[in-house]
Amino acid sequence: EAGVTQFPSHSVIEKGQTVTLRCDPISGHDNLYWYRRVMGKEIKFLLHFVKESKQDESGMPNNRFLAERTGGTYSTLKVQPAELEDSGVYFCASSFVGPYPNTEAFFGQGTRLTVV
Amino acid sequence: AQSVTQLDSQVPVFEEAPVELRCNYSSSVSVYLFWYVQYPNQGLQLLLKYLSGSTLVESINGFEAEFNKSQTSFHLRKPSVHISDTAEYFCAVSKISGNTGKLIFGQGTTLQVKP
């Protein structure tokens, strides 16, 4: 069974450009989460989808970040325009809905974003 | 709100030596506790978790962690490390009531096992 897939694995863009990250969750997982790790710091929660609905977007840093999950399957995270401080590793995770252990999250390998 | 503090950013240790990676948390509500591991060029993997019951939990590769409620700690230990244990380790919590799967992570500890 395929795990959580993220691509690209690496992206280097110039300040001011737009980048779109994609996450394909494990089939059947209605929960989808985005996290980010800025170098040397903790992995921080960005947002949580249940199917196509945003359940919690309290961690989104500002309105340059737009997350979507059309049809409740894969999700995209767009950064427009990118700033230097957006550099970091973006992780996606997915899980079933319900009480724990249903919500045990499985993580992708991450996308390393570098803004220069 | 919850927060997690991992007291050591890097822990160098020789092969076959014991190791302890420290984790303290703060929360006004009851939480589940986790240790995740990220091996080089791989994603995050769940290493072990404390949900309830016995405060000592073990992983399949010899790590163990003990939940200490009075000290709000969940330190990770291994009596004898291998080169293959070299990785970054993350402590995390998730609130129990109304659990949505959202995780609050610490800053991570890099375990460097030397031959």
Side-chain angles (χ1 to χ4, degrees), chain B residues 35-93:
Chain B
W35 276 98
Y36 280 82
V37 59
Q38 185 178 23
Y39 297 104
N41 302 314
Q42 296 188 30
L44 287 163
Q45 303 173 35
L46 181 63
L47 182 62
L48 47 75
K49 61 194 176 196
Y50 173 77
L51 304 181
S52 65
S54 173
T55 57
L56 185 66
V57 291
E58 299 177 354
S59 72
I60 58 172
N61 59 350
F63 282 93
E64 63 180 31
E66 186 158 21
F67 169 52
N68 188 319
K69 188 173 183 179
S70 63
Q71 297 187 8
T72 59
S73 67
F74 191 53
H75 301 331
L76 181 69
R77 302 184 184 96
K78 189 170 185 179
S80 176
V81 294
H82 301 288
I83 295 287
S84 59
D85 293 325
T86 295
E88 192 157 20
Y89 293 79
F90 296 91
C91 183
V93 301

Side-chain angles (χ1 to χ4, degrees), chain A residues 31 33 35 37 40-43 45 48 56 58 91 98 100-101 103-105 107-109, chain B residues 32 34 36 38 41-44 46 49 51 88 90 99-103 105-108:
Chain A
N31 278 332
Y33 314 86
Y35 292 85
R37 189 185 191 202
K41 300 201 171 181
E42 73 272 25
I43 300 170
F45 169 84
H48 169 210
D56 179 357
S58 60
F91 291 101
Y100 201 89
T103 54
E104 181 173 315
F107 282 79
Q109 291 190 309
Chain B
Y32 298 127
F34 307 88
Y36 280 82
Q38 185 178 23
N41 302 314
Q42 296 188 30
L44 287 163
L46 181 63
K49 61 194 176 196
L51 304 181
E88 192 157 20
F90 296 91
N99 183 267
T100 63
K102 175 181 176 180
L103 294 161
F105 285 93
Q107 300 92 327

Side-chain angles (χ1 to χ4, degrees), chain A residues 42, chain B residues 2-6 23-26 91-93 104-107:
Chain A
E42 73 272 25
Chain B
Q2 297 85 48
S3 67
V4 178
T5 301
Q6 292 182 242
C23 172
N24 286 87
Y25 70 94
S26 173
C91 183
V93 301
I104 306 299
F105 285 93
Q107 300 92 327

Side-chain angles (χ1 to χ4, degrees), chain A residues 14 27 30 60 71-72 107:
Chain A
E14 292 185 352
S27 177
D30 286 338
M60 293 290 265
F107 282 79

